[in-house]
Amino acid sequence: MPDNSPYRNDFPNNSLLQWISRLSFLMDEQFRIPGTKYRFGLDPLLNLIPFAGDIAGFAVSGGLVLAMASKGLTSKIVVLMCINIFLDTTIGAIPGVGQVWDFFFKSNTRNMRLLNEYYQEGKHQGSGKNTIALALIILFLIFVVLIGILWALAAWMISWF
């Protein structure tokens, strides 16, 4: 694994966490574009298959979070990991934009970074209730803005007839 990868840190002597680390690397950073430092994995390649690729990527990422959560993570870190997967899945499902998004937003890499911070630095302790509340408020505001844009677009389209 490359030196700048979040996977290079050793986890507690636990085969499940080491397996999760290898699978996350495969999904997000297994391949390198020659002549660059940019890496990608199977996730953006799977997402080239409409819907099935998104579902497969979501299933693998969700399974990884469940496996990590079984090791006694705090609710805060689990919520942060789920937000990463939610963003990857929802934006990744948008045709065109989603394919580009999947090459740059690597939810498994972000989740491994969170896991490293939890084990190595003791971050992300405590409850995830505030994180969930903040995420719901932000999602609601985005939803309201999108509805407003769709409403304006529909009104503009109707005015043509």
Side-chain angles (χ1 to χ4, degrees):
M1 293 180 215
D3 288 339
N4 62 352
S5 172
Y7 306 104
R8 66 184 170 88
N9 293 331
D10 293 326
F11 289 110
N13 202 4
N14 185 312
S15 62
L16 176 63
L17 292 176
Q18 291 170 356
W19 177 83
I20 290 168
S21 177
R22 286 191 300 273
L23 185 56
S24 294
F25 184 81
L26 174 67
M27 290 299 288
D28 283 348
E29 297 193 30
Q30 181 67 45
F31 311 108
R32 186 175 57 86
I33 296 175
T36 69
K37 291 183 180 181
Y38 184 75
R39 302 186 73 81
F40 65 96
L42 292 179
D43 190 31
L45 297 176
L46 286 172
N47 287 337
L48 293 173
I49 304 167
F51 302 111
D54 295 319
I55 292 170
F58 175 76
V60 170
S61 296
L64 290 174
V65 169
L66 287 175
M68 289 184 265
S70 72
K71 292 313 211 176
L73 299 178
T74 63
S75 63
K76 182 177 183 178
I77 195 167
V78 172
V79 168
L80 291 171
M81 289 177 170
C82 289
I83 289 171
N84 284 335
I85 293 170
F86 174 78
L87 289 172
D88 185 41
T89 302
T90 54
I91 298 174
I94 300 170
V97 173
Q99 279 70 24
V100 174
W101 172 263
D102 284 327
F103 273 98
F104 295 103
F105 187 85
K106 300 172 181 179
S107 64
N108 296 311
T109 299
R110 291 170 185 268
N111 288 347
M112 291 306 297
R113 219 172 264 127
L114 287 170
L115 193 64
N116 269 336
E117 290 171 357
Y118 177 76
Y119 279 117
Q120 304 293 330
E121 301 168 23
K123 291 183 177 179
H124 312 295
Q125 303 295 323
S127 172
K129 291 178 185 174
N130 292 337
T131 309
I132 291 174
L134 178 63
L136 288 175
I137 290 168
I138 291 170
L139 289 173
F140 177 74
L141 292 174
I142 291 170
F143 177 74
V144 168
V145 169
L146 288 174
I147 292 298
I149 291 170
L150 288 174
W151 186 268
L153 182 63
W156 176 75
M157 290 176 74
I158 290 173
S159 71
W160 281 77
F161 297 106

